[in-house]
Amino acid sequence: MSRIGVFTCWCGENIARTVDVDEVAKRVAELPGVRCSLNYKYMCADPGQTIVREKIVSEKLDGVVVASCSPHMHLKTFRKAAQAAGLNPYLVEMANIREQCSWVHHDRAQATAKAIEIIHLAVEKARNDAALQPIRVPVTRRALVIGGGVAGIQAALDIADAGHEVVMVEREPSIGGKMAGLSETFPTLDCSQCILTPRMVEVGQHPRIKLYSYSEVEKVEGFVGNFKITIRQKARYVDVSKCTGCGECWNVCPLKRNPSEFDYGMGMRPAIYIPFPQAVPARPVIDKSQCAKLIRNGCGLCEKKCKAEAINFKDEDRLVEEAVGAVVVATGYKLYSIAKPQPKATLAGYGEYGYGKYKDVIDSLQFERLVSASGPTGGVLKRPSDGEIPKSVVFISCVGSRDNAKGLPYCSKICCMYTAKHTMLYKHKVHEGQAHVFYMDIRAGGKGYDEFVRRAIEQDGAKYYRGRVSKITQEGGKLVVRGADTLAGMPVTIEADMVVLAAAMRPADGIEELAQKLNIGCDEFGFLLESHPKLRPVETNTTGIFIAGACHSPKDIPEAVAQASAAASKVQVMLAADELTREPEIAAINEQTCAACFACVRTCPYHAIDRAELRTARGAFIKNTARVNPGLCMGCGTCVSVCPSKSADLQGFTDQQVYAMVESLA
Amino acid sequence: MSTAHEFEPKIVAYVCNWCTYLGADLAGTARLEYPPNVRIIRLPCTGRIDFNLIIKALEVGADGVLVSGCHPGDCHYTAGNYHARRRWILFRELLDTLGVDLRRIEFAWISAAEGRKWQQVVTEFTEQTRKLGPYKELYATGPVPDVPAPETATPEAKSFAAERELREVCQKLLAEGTVKVVIGYGARGPVVVTRPEDAGRLVWNNRCFSNLTAYLKRKEIKALGKAAVIVKPCDEKSLVELEKEAQFERKGAHVIGMACEGVGQPKCAHCTARTPRFADVTLGVAAGAEPQSSPSPNRFAALMAMPPAERMAFWTEELNRCVKCYACRQVCPMCYCERCIVDKNRPIAIDPAPSTKGNFAWQIARAFHLAGRCVGCGECSRACPAGIDLALLNISLHIAAQKNFGYEAGADPKAEPLIGSYTLHDTEVFIR
Amino acid sequence: MSEIISQSVLRALTAEWIAGGKSVAGPARVKPDLVLYRTLRSEDELLLEGFQRPSNSIKDFLFPKAEKLYGYKIHGNSIELIENDSPEPARVIIAARPCDAAALPILDHVFNWDFHDEFYNRRRAATTVVTLACNAHDENCFCTSVGLDPGSERGSDAILFALGNGQYEVRCATEKGRALFDGKTEKSERTGKTIPGPEKRFDAQAVRAFVTTHFEDPFWKEHALTCIGCGTCAFSCPACHCFDIVDAGPAAGNARMKTWDSCQFSTFTAHASGHNPRPVQATRQRQRILHKFAIYPEKFGEILCTGCGNCARNCPVGLGVLGVASEINHG
């Protein structure tokens, strides 16, 4: 037998002016299951809440309905009040007779009749409420950061400084990401490495950061608070505990002419190498596809030379397991590969620009290395073909971006800014040089950004043509660039010494496999999906996994850093206690009646339902079943609708409740 | 709500908590007035709104039902409304086939910012429903239109040529222990043979109606050991869908496919698959005319050419004969739930009585649960002792699945099941 | 001397009964290959020849598939019960088969045993059964195996015998029958004859002996493997009478309903505890045969079967009581 207390609020005049609250209280008292019914001027105020608490005790109520404003306003308020009086908060419901009744109708009789029916609905719901308990999920108070670029570094430092251990996994031999290879950054023209390397060192030396470099995430198991990560530490063939980083090995290596990944092919490196001098860890790695010893048991000079006996040609990949409670994915980006044949016909490359054909047609990251003080040319802008200093350089924007026909439809956001930056760096190095920029629009929306671009044009004399380039050919030692100036309304042909293509930003290689391992979503371009584009930009649909940086969408360094700190703060919320509490209004499956068709498993947007086995207490197999993970379910109820046997139900919105509500309208 | 003189429509609205409910709240905050006929039932997400809620609202006498949630792409739970939309597309087609007045069920996307849209939708829908009047036509009887009955031939039993080979194959399978049991056809109906010497009981003729894959779910048969099951090409399609739903493992069974010359059922005239595609062993040679494209529009087209009120009268007449023997459910290989929705009684989901309401509720549930899963074996219609043209309901959803999603049950083992998947481009035409 | 009636007079009488406010039920063609007993809207619908027997039985009218026992209204915290005591219309069932009519005296026992089922009794009292003796039988008929024959008068208020040329001999067995036909018939020398019934398919006593002594026989398990557990046999059987009682709430009309139930449904014997003493089809099939051939005869002295063959004809997988009993007998 139900003992529901119904408390009808006047809300001052807001309800009482239109709804006859006395009549409501009187008629509601006659509804089945209602133990007491009264009205009061302001239920949400202290005296009002006191009335509720007192009635709960004096009338031994087992359910409460407050007929007042929207549950979005005060459901939590009244649930707290009920809890204070010893009533389970999930036995409290609200009937919205203000926003959805008194405020939208003027006829007193109609509004009163409707209010009574609205309350009847709520009473039926309350009669079928169950006393739910919050769900507690134990938490391993450590975090994993995948990716050691600026976003990963920021996130790792924030979390570690907050007092939690961080495991960082970076697949390159050193952390630093793309930012470590940039020369100067906009809009300040700060030296990129100068601002980054102190952070890199901090990560390398932080007592609470465990860095797995030259490693990748192999497998992810578990769920929020309880992830088990298997990490593959790739064989370096160098024992980092013995190595001192003296550099003898890479000096003596005879195989020096391997294109450097860090320099994007603009420079060379030996087979045993350190990617750049400020690498963290500052330990070399042997490229097993190039090393003579590893391929055909020749050479071995580095081993002979190494005083620390740190070279180990017998090294093997190692699998390590780490337990963490939260994950931040910060895997960064790569540039659209202009020359290579594209996997999809729509990404057709831009062969007409001659990238890969003409040595002096390069992309923006390659340009960064050429102007970088620690780059392969020592910061002197020597063009790749003959080492000459170019007197005229053409910069082409939007190569691969904003192109529905044969590229990617989105804007890569940073290219307008770095192209302007490139023209300035060029001018600062080659005073008599002339920069030409072919652009579609200038997107310079950040703090100081537009001023920066104007500086490139007005102070550093960059010439900007609003138009696209149709073709680049080599004629008489010059790169002939044929484009258009749509503002002047005429074609433009420039004989350039070098061309720099602002290639589109894409997520890093392997993102789709990683996303699958983590059970998070990617969009059609591979960028990781956030939970809600406005309100939850660093969370994913998989509780406990967060994203930051360019793996989410094209962005610049300030945004990547801000997002990384945002993700770190979300991680800190998660790791704040030994247990996570979650709202219990989630799905539950009757495993006895479940037909194990797994429609719910494939429907759940949060992958919160797994295939499982129902076993006896002794472990004997009974049947297959679907099982909800209470740590992940967000309570949408989509599983309930697809379940053919009606084994899935949603606590707080059960079939029993909803049917009782509908049937009260008969 | 109604006075003695004026009809006030009863409108039930199922809305999602995060968008439409907040939109309705916003209408309140902005004091946008609308008629007081709507009763809102708040649910977390449109994904939670299953078809049965719409039926229940109509059963309790709602004159109009409004279903509303977040715009696609904005779902608070990311994908709940995509799943809901897919179900709505199919469910509307089923309701249309039954002759339910679709003007009485309104779907809308109303966001938390669209207080004005809430006001508009509710006002217009209430007025429209008021003009339509009380929904008395639901399950009403009336003059029954002439819809052609399914053509069933009951020919003289004629053995097919592969019968002898089939017996030999099965005898060998049992004798060698490759399988422990053969599920096949006997003289009067299906037989389950466990001894090699009983292989002679197996027949293969033009009266081998049953879809034997329906026996694969039986615990007593599973307990006998590895089974060989004999399938016609139409039955074989059931295996494709059963496998997608983790009910059948190809490795655990021996599939004997029979090329078929037809068993005189309505489906045979429109057969497109005369030869099995995935069997472990295929016997026989398919003879006969070139297949037409399936499923035949004849009966269905005739039904849909009638106005909705006549369609409803047709179905009321048909379904009033239903006795709830559940033969349709038991012969169906896709109905494998041990606790069927009709057996759920706390709360009762489907009115269990064989009354008009109860029969409609059951057949709607059955047909809808089979959307994208029914392969058209037609056993439900054949098994019905009351001669109800059940297959018409399944055909309507089959056509809906093809038309809207290019999906055909049983055709492609790699295709994602219809329910539980969605695309960003599922039809939106009917959603405001 | 016999009383005879022509088909046209019979049809005219039927029209009279309908016009006079009686509910008249008889065989009608529903689909090209389906004949059912239905409440007739006009005498044209009455089908007298061209089929063996309807696929359902006349119990539909005495023990309907869904019966409202009473309604209820909830007022606040109290419940008002609304009795179902609407008067039963007078009913005539015309052209019932002997195997249908013979089931009524059999059912009378169980509906008046420890409790007088007022719903059944009301309808039974208001119904007059006019049987049409069979002039053919098919391979599914087995009335002779359970002690009946194609011309049996058991349970009939009047029985018609086809004489050919559209003429029927009318034999009235009760007051009710006489009330319908007195003064409507003509005298004649011709009399109808009961045709020879189908060959005995099985020995009912031998079946009874087997089922009472072979409870654990593997026969049940083997035999029941193909039974799909639907309600077709029970629902089309003139003698089966199990029912369920359900309160289904406002969406179903706020009534307590009595509905047909089938012992072959998997939940037929499911207990509230979750235990089910008949968990597999074999136990349920066994129970069916036991009930019909052993338990009911022991209790009421009647075999709970009239050999109409509906179960065999309607079973989607070719089983039915005929199949099982034959197998038991002939192995």
Side-chain angles (χ1 to χ4, degrees):
Chain A
M1 244 353 262
S2 288
R3 302 169 70 92
I4 309 283
V6 183
F7 304 90
T8 303
C9 186
W10 300 23
C11 195
E13 279 264 286
N14 282 305
I15 294 175
R17 181 183 24 207
T18 316
V19 171
D20 183 343
V21 289
D22 285 323
E23 174 73 2
V24 166
K26 201 174 81 182
R27 296 275 302 280
V28 161
E30 296 163 11
L31 292 174
V34 173
R35 171 78 192 162
C36 72
S37 166
L38 54 87
N39 62 51
Y40 181 68
K41 241 185 172 182
Y42 296 106
M43 289 305 312
C44 57
D46 238 7
Q49 292 192 46
T50 306
I51 292 177
V52 174
R53 286 199 301 271
E54 284 175 354
K55 283 292 182 193
I56 288 174
V57 175
S58 67
E59 299 285 346
K60 297 194 187 31
L61 299 179
D62 61 14
V64 163
V65 171
V66 180
S68 58
C69 50
S70 171
H72 286 266
M73 293 288 303
H74 281 309
L75 184 58
K76 280 205 167 68
T77 314
F78 292 112
R79 286 192 165 169
K80 274 213 194 81
Q83 193 162 32
L87 183 68
N88 183 293
Y90 297 97
L91 300 173
V92 174
E93 296 292 339
M94 283 186 73
N96 184 339
I97 61 171
R98 189 183 73 172
E99 283 90 335
Q100 296 181 2
C101 189
S102 69
W103 274 355
V104 289
H105 308 311
H106 60 266
D107 180 309
R108 198 169 168 78
Q110 287 180 336
T112 306
K114 179 171 173 179
I116 294 168
E117 286 194 29
I118 293 176
I119 295 172
H120 193 178
L121 284 172
V123 167
E124 287 300 313
K125 183 158 194 245
R127 289 176 71 194
N128 291 292
D129 268 330
L132 303 172
Q133 300 300 328
I135 295 166
R136 299 190 196 285
V137 179
V139 176
T140 307
R141 298 172 76 183
R142 299 168 86 228
L144 169 71
V145 174
I146 307 177
V150 66
I153 288 171
Q154 182 66 44
L157 288 173
D158 283 345
I159 298 169
D161 285 344
H164 304 292
E165 263 188 31
V166 176
V167 173
M168 178 184 272
V169 175
E170 165 57 56
R171 71 176 167 196
E172 296 299 324
S174 165
I175 57 175
K178 299 291 182 294
M179 192 179 167
L182 301 180
S183 63
E184 287 158 35
T185 59
F186 59 78
T188 48
L189 295 184
D190 270 326
C191 157
S192 182
Q193 279 200 356
C194 305
I195 54 178
L196 182 64
T197 46
R199 291 295 189 85
M200 288 165 57
V201 170
E202 218 186 314
V203 166
Q205 293 180 346
H206 203 294
R208 282 186 292 280
I209 297 182
K210 195 166 171 188
L211 173 60
Y212 288 94
S213 60
Y214 205 50
S215 303
E216 295 195 53
V217 169
E218 177 92 351
K219 194 158 74 159
V220 178
E221 293 165 287
F223 57 95
V224 61
N226 303 276
F227 291 110
K228 188 169 91 174
I229 314 284
T230 307
I231 299 168
R232 175 181 291 274
Q233 278 184 300
K234 298 185 284 196
R236 277 187 181 250
Y237 304 102
V238 173
D239 185 340
V240 297
S241 60
K242 293 188 185 152
C243 169
T244 58
C246 66
E248 293 284 345
C249 53
W250 66 72
N251 283 335
V252 80
C253 177
L255 302 168
K256 288 202 167 16
R257 300 207 52 78
N258 305 297
S260 158
E261 292 86 348
F262 187 72
D263 292 331
Y264 307 105
M266 295 286 100
M268 300 294 169
R269 59 152 180 78
I272 182 170
Y273 68 100
I274 198 170
F276 54 98
Q278 302 89 337
V280 170
R283 302 284 178 267
V285 66
I286 298 181
D287 186 334
K288 66 182 180 195
S289 68
Q290 296 159 351
C291 170
K293 175 81 177 183
L294 289 172
I295 294 173
R296 52 176 189 275
N297 208 16
C299 193
L301 280 175
C302 54
E303 188 184 25
K304 297 196 184 84
K305 209 62 169 164
C306 179
K307 294 196 185 63
E309 293 179 3
I311 308 286
N312 171 17
F313 288 112
K314 296 217 174 10
D315 199 3
E316 279 177 353
D317 288 0
R318 245 186 312 271
L319 291 177
V320 185
E321 273 178 17
E322 292 279 0
V324 298
V327 178
V328 178
V329 185
T331 49
Y333 70 97
K334 67 169 186 189
L335 287 186
Y336 179 69
S337 358
I338 307 170
K340 290 207 199 97
Q342 304 291 338
K344 282 199 246 184
T346 45
L347 301 176
Y350 289 82
E352 63 269 33
Y353 291 167
Y355 183 87
K357 190 161 140 200
Y358 308 128
K359 277 192 148 172
D360 296 324
V361 176
I362 61 174
D363 70 26
S364 41
L365 282 176
Q366 289 171 321
F367 184 78
E368 292 280 349
R369 294 312 298 147
L370 291 180
V371 294
S372 190
S374 57
T377 57
V380 181
L381 181 57
K382 294 182 188 166
R383 66 181 191 175
S385 59
D386 55 12
E388 289 293 314
I389 305 210
K391 297 291 187 280
S392 103
V393 177
V394 166
F395 297 88
I396 305 180
S397 300
C398 303
V399 179
S401 305
R402 306 182 63 194
D403 188 342
N404 272 318
K406 55 175 196 171
L408 301 154
Y410 55 82
C411 167
S412 293
K413 200 164 191 192
I414 59 172
C415 333
C416 287
M417 286 303 293
Y418 72 56
T419 298
K421 178 190 76 173
H422 286 173
T423 65
M424 291 161 75
L425 295 180
Y426 171 55
K427 188 68 172 185
H428 299 171
K429 290 183 189 293
V430 184
H431 300 295
E432 68 282 19
Q434 177 61 59
H436 306 266
V437 177
F438 284 93
Y439 73 98
M440 298 208 289
D441 294 287
I442 307 284
R443 291 179 168 181
K447 199 166 173 176
Y449 280 27
D450 204 71
E451 298 92 310
F452 182 81
V453 177
R454 296 242 64 84
R455 197 173 123 194
I457 299 171
E458 288 163 11
Q459 285 184 22
D460 288 331
K463 284 202 174 128
Y464 270 64
Y465 310 98
R466 189 184 180 278
R468 305 200 65 176
V469 170
S470 64
K471 202 177 166 71
I472 299 176
T473 49
Q474 191 152 60
E475 289 163 37
K478 289 281 198 188
L479 289 167
V480 180
V481 180
R482 289 182 172 79
D485 180 346
T486 60
L487 295 179
M490 53 190 206
V492 171
T493 306
I494 301 183
E495 292 184 359
D497 296 319
M498 201 163 102
V499 175
V500 181
L501 305 176
M505 249 178 134
R506 301 189 64 195
D509 279 332
I511 189 78
E512 267 129 358
E513 280 146 327
L514 181 63
Q516 265 198 355
K517 284 181 192 165
L518 291 165
N519 229 349
I520 57 180
C522 285
D523 66 14
E524 67 214 87
F525 311 111
F527 287 115
L528 298 178
L529 278 179
E530 68 278 356
S531 214
H532 193 283
K534 302 267 203 324
L535 301 178
R536 317 237 294 259
V538 294
E539 296 163 77
T540 63
N541 273 345
T542 307
T543 321
I545 302 191
F546 307 93
I547 52 181
C551 62
H552 161 259
S553 67
K555 56 176 58 76
D556 55 27
I557 293 166
E559 286 171 340
V561 170
Q563 221 183 20
S565 287
S569 92
K570 293 285 180 191
V571 168
Q572 285 170 55
V573 167
M574 199 145 266
L575 303 184
D578 285 321
E579 263 183 352
L580 279 180
T581 17
R582 306 189 71 234
E583 290 279 339
E585 286 168 318
I586 60 169
I589 292 177
N590 181 339
E591 299 189 359
Q592 304 255 0
T593 58
C594 169
C597 72
F598 305 127
C600 55
V601 173
R602 54 168 194 275
T603 304
C604 177
Y606 299 95
H607 302 288
I609 308 183
D610 297 305
R611 300 181 178 214
E613 292 176 346
L614 186 61
R615 290 180 175 268
T616 64
R618 295 228 182 117
F621 174 81
I622 305 175
K623 66 191 281 275
N624 289 319
T625 179
R627 185 167 292 153
V628 175
N629 184 333
L632 292 177
C633 173
M634 296 292 279
C636 68
T638 307
C639 55
V640 179
S641 301
V642 296
C643 178
S645 62
K646 286 250 159 249
S647 301
D649 210 350
L650 183 61
Q651 308 300 303
F653 296 92
T654 61
D655 270 343
Q656 178 107 3
Q657 288 176 299
V658 184
Y659 292 166
M661 290 169 80
V662 176
E663 295 189 344
S664 76
L665 299 171
Chain B
M1 274 183 280
S2 302
T3 66
H5 313 287
E6 236 178 65
F7 161 61
E8 284 297 335
K10 180 167 20 196
I11 315 272
V12 175
Y14 294 109
V15 306
C16 85
N17 179 50
W18 301 97
C19 277
T20 304
Y21 193 89
L22 281 173
D25 277 352
L26 180 59
T29 322
R31 313 292 194 275
L32 302 174
E33 287 208 9
Y34 50 87
N37 304 62
V38 66
R39 299 290 175 267
I40 295 174
I41 294 181
R42 177 179 73 106
L43 295 168
C45 180
T46 44
R48 171 69 181 87
I49 302 172
D50 86 86
F51 73 91
N52 207 23
L53 295 182
I54 299 177
I55 295 299
K56 286 240 180 255
L58 293 174
E59 283 176 348
V60 301
D63 302 297
V65 182
L66 173 61
V67 178
S68 179
C70 307
H71 288 260
D74 293 345
C75 177
H76 180 88
Y77 303 96
T78 68
N81 59 357
Y82 288 133
H83 288 291
R85 179 172 65 180
R86 172 156 289 207
R87 287 200 306 276
W88 298 345
I89 293 167
L90 293 165
F91 194 54
R92 274 181 100 248
E93 304 264 3
L94 179 61
L95 291 180
D96 199 24
T97 304
L98 289 165
V100 172
D101 189 348
L102 290 181
R103 295 170 301 182
R104 296 186 178 270
I105 306 176
E106 180 95 320
F107 296 92
W109 304 129
I110 299 177
S111 80
E114 291 178 307
R116 194 161 281 286
K117 185 171 179 185
W118 172 256
Q119 177 203 34
Q120 252 176 333
V121 170
V122 173
T123 308
E124 285 170 22
F125 187 53
T126 308
E127 290 321 305
Q128 178 185 288
T129 310
R130 193 194 302 279
K131 284 203 190 69
L132 291 173
Y135 193 22
K136 295 194 303 284
E137 299 86 7
L138 186 67
Y139 309 156
T141 52
V144 179
D146 217 346
V147 175
E151 291 143 25
T152 316
T154 339
E156 285 291 312
K158 178 191 111 184
S159 288
F160 292 143
E163 186 178 76
R164 193 152 108 211
E165 198 187 347
L166 174 64
R167 289 178 178 157
E168 283 165 8
V169 166
C170 292
Q171 199 263 353
K172 191 156 176 245
L173 285 171
L174 287 166
E176 292 175 356
T178 318
V179 303
K180 291 282 189 287
V181 55
V182 173
I183 307 169
Y185 300 101
R188 289 186 60 104
V191 291
V192 174
V193 174
T194 49
R195 292 183 289 253
E197 56 268 28
D198 288 338
R201 290 174 63 196
L202 295 165
V203 304
W204 173 235
N205 59 32
N206 61 348
R207 311 199 62 149
C208 289
F209 307 124
S210 303
N211 184 340
L212 298 173
T213 62
Y215 286 101
L216 292 168
K217 66 193 174 213
R218 289 277 294 274
K219 277 211 206 81
E220 305 99 288
I221 294 179
K222 281 190 194 171
L224 294 174
K226 181 165 179 177
V229 61
I230 295 168
V231 293
K232 307 191 287 293
C234 44
D235 309 330
E236 188 196 41
K237 293 194 225 165
S238 302
L239 294 175
V240 172
E241 293 301 318
L242 285 170
E243 201 165 16
K244 284 187 203 170
E245 298 177 14
Q247 302 298 314
F248 172 69
E249 234 190 78
R250 204 157 276 282
K251 286 191 312 279
H254 200 83
V255 178
I256 303 175
M258 309 301 293
C260 179
E261 298 166 48
V263 294
Q265 295 297 299
K267 61 178 176 179
C268 298
H270 315 290
C271 178
T272 53
R274 301 286 175 116
T275 316
R277 289 170 292 156
F278 311 114
D280 293 296
V281 53
T282 304
L283 301 175
V285 172
E290 270 306 304
Q292 305 168 14
S293 58
S294 77
S296 163
N298 294 343
R299 272 153 49 228
F300 183 67
L303 178 70
M304 296 312 285
M306 315 283 173
E310 279 186 33
R311 289 205 286 279
M312 174 65 72
F314 170 79
W315 284 110
T316 305
E317 172 85 6
E318 289 286 291
L319 295 183
N320 268 343
R321 295 199 304 277
C322 174
V323 290
K324 292 242 175 120
C325 68
Y326 299 117
C328 50
R329 177 187 73 183
Q330 300 300 111
V331 286
C332 179
M334 302 312 294
C335 282
Y336 51 75
C337 293
E338 272 187 54
R339 199 278 306 271
C340 176
I341 188 178
V342 294
D343 294 326
K344 172 132 194 222
N345 59 15
R346 276 184 300 167
I348 292 182
I350 304 287
D351 181 356
S355 57
T356 308
K357 258 191 191 168
N359 292 346
F360 266 95
W362 160 237
Q363 290 301 341
I364 289 172
R366 189 193 69 87
F368 194 66
H369 276 179
L370 288 170
R373 305 167 67 227
C374 163
V375 300
C377 74
E379 277 290 278
C380 46
S381 280
R382 187 186 68 85
C384 178
I388 302 170
D389 198 351
L390 297 171
L392 270 184
L393 293 173
N394 295 102
I395 286 172
S396 99
L397 282 170
H398 183 104
I399 292 178
Q402 268 185 329
K403 187 173 68 168
N404 289 292
F405 312 112
Y407 187 87
E408 193 178 320
D412 181 2
K414 295 206 178 46
E416 279 249 31
L418 187 69
I419 300 286
S421 60
Y422 61 86
T423 70
L424 300 179
H425 318 291
D426 286 352
T427 321
E428 283 253 330
V429 193
F430 60 91
I431 307 178
R432 282 188 69 147
Chain C
M1 261 294 146
S2 65
E3 302 289 333
I4 65 170
I5 196 168
S6 73
Q7 205 189 102
S8 52
V9 174
L10 190 62
R11 284 189 184 277
L13 263 183
T14 306
E16 230 180 81
W17 296 331
I18 296 174
K22 287 201 193 347
S23 166
V24 179
R29 187 166 293 281
V30 170
K31 290 274 159 98
D33 51 2
L34 181 68
V35 176
L36 295 174
Y37 286 114
R38 309 191 75 177
T39 303
L40 304 174
R41 287 170 287 214
S42 81
E43 75 283 7
D44 302 321
E45 292 185 353
L46 175 62
L47 199 65
L48 291 170
E49 50 218 357
F51 63 101
Q52 178 56 49
R53 57 155 291 128
S55 288
N56 59 347
S57 77
I58 63 172
K59 82 175 179 193
D60 287 24
F61 307 99
L62 295 137
F63 167 51
K65 64 183 181 183
E67 176 121 54
K68 181 168 163 178
L69 297 180
Y70 54 78
Y72 53 87
K73 269 208 179 82
I74 299 179
H75 303 289
N77 280 310
S78 67
I79 300 181
E80 178 201 342
L81 295 183
I82 304 161
E83 292 282 352
N84 175 15
D85 44 9
S86 35
E88 196 58 39
R91 180 178 280 105
V92 178
I93 301 180
I94 175 102
R97 286 292 183 274
C99 43
D100 280 302
L104 297 187
I106 299 175
L107 286 179
D108 287 345
H109 293 293
V110 73
F111 282 122
N112 287 285
W113 164 41
D114 55 348
F115 179 78
H116 294 282
D117 188 320
E118 62 188 273
F119 300 95
Y120 175 82
N121 288 340
R122 263 203 318 245
R123 290 171 181 269
R124 185 90 160 91
T127 303
T128 308
V129 179
V130 180
T131 303
L132 176 61
C134 302
N135 53 14
H137 52 79
D138 72 11
E139 71 274 10
N140 289 303
C141 293
F142 59 99
C143 55
T144 43
S145 309
V146 291
L148 287 176
D149 63 61
S152 167
E153 291 182 22
R154 258 204 106 190
S156 311
D157 295 299
I159 184 165
L160 307 171
F161 283 86
L163 299 172
N165 296 357
Q167 303 288 325
Y168 297 89
E169 183 195 345
V170 181
R171 295 185 204 164
C172 292
T174 68
E175 275 308 310
K176 278 198 225 162
R178 280 187 277 278
L180 279 187
F181 286 105
D182 267 358
K184 317 284 184 190
T185 54
E186 285 169 9
K187 297 242 178 294
S188 166
E189 294 289 324
R190 302 169 67 194
T191 53
K193 298 224 174 343
T194 301
I195 60 164
E199 251 179 49
K200 245 181 150 181
R201 317 267 194 216
F202 57 81
D203 178 343
Q205 289 310 311
V207 172
R208 177 173 178 171
F210 178 85
V211 302
T212 42
T213 52
H214 287 75
F215 198 73
E216 301 291 353
D217 196 292
F219 166 82
W220 299 114
K221 231 169 143 179
E222 274 171 32
H223 162 76
L225 285 174
T226 54
C227 169
I228 56 174
C230 67
T232 298
C233 53
F235 291 179
S236 40
C237 171
C240 277
H241 51 266
C242 284
F243 58 86
D244 195 7
I245 297 187
V246 182
D247 294 330
N254 271 346
R256 172 163 288 187
M257 301 294 290
K258 176 173 160 193
T259 67
W260 287 351
D261 205 350
S262 166
C263 53
Q264 300 310 299
F265 288 152
S266 60
T267 50
F268 185 70
T269 45
H271 293 176
S273 64
H275 174 60
N276 187 347
R278 292 189 203 136
V280 289
Q281 210 61 43
T283 55
R284 298 191 276 269
Q285 276 282 299
R286 172 181 65 195
Q287 185 283 136
R288 185 170 174 72
I289 305 301
L290 210 67
H291 189 203
K292 287 190 175 290
F293 287 91
I295 298 176
Y296 202 92
E298 195 182 297
K299 213 175 181 69
F300 298 117
E302 309 259 22
I303 297 176
L304 187 61
C305 173
T306 58
C308 73
N310 264 358
C311 51
R313 277 183 213 96
N314 291 346
C315 176
V317 293
L319 290 173
V321 166
L322 171 61
V324 195
S326 307
E327 267 212 57
I328 289 176
N329 229 194
H330 307 299

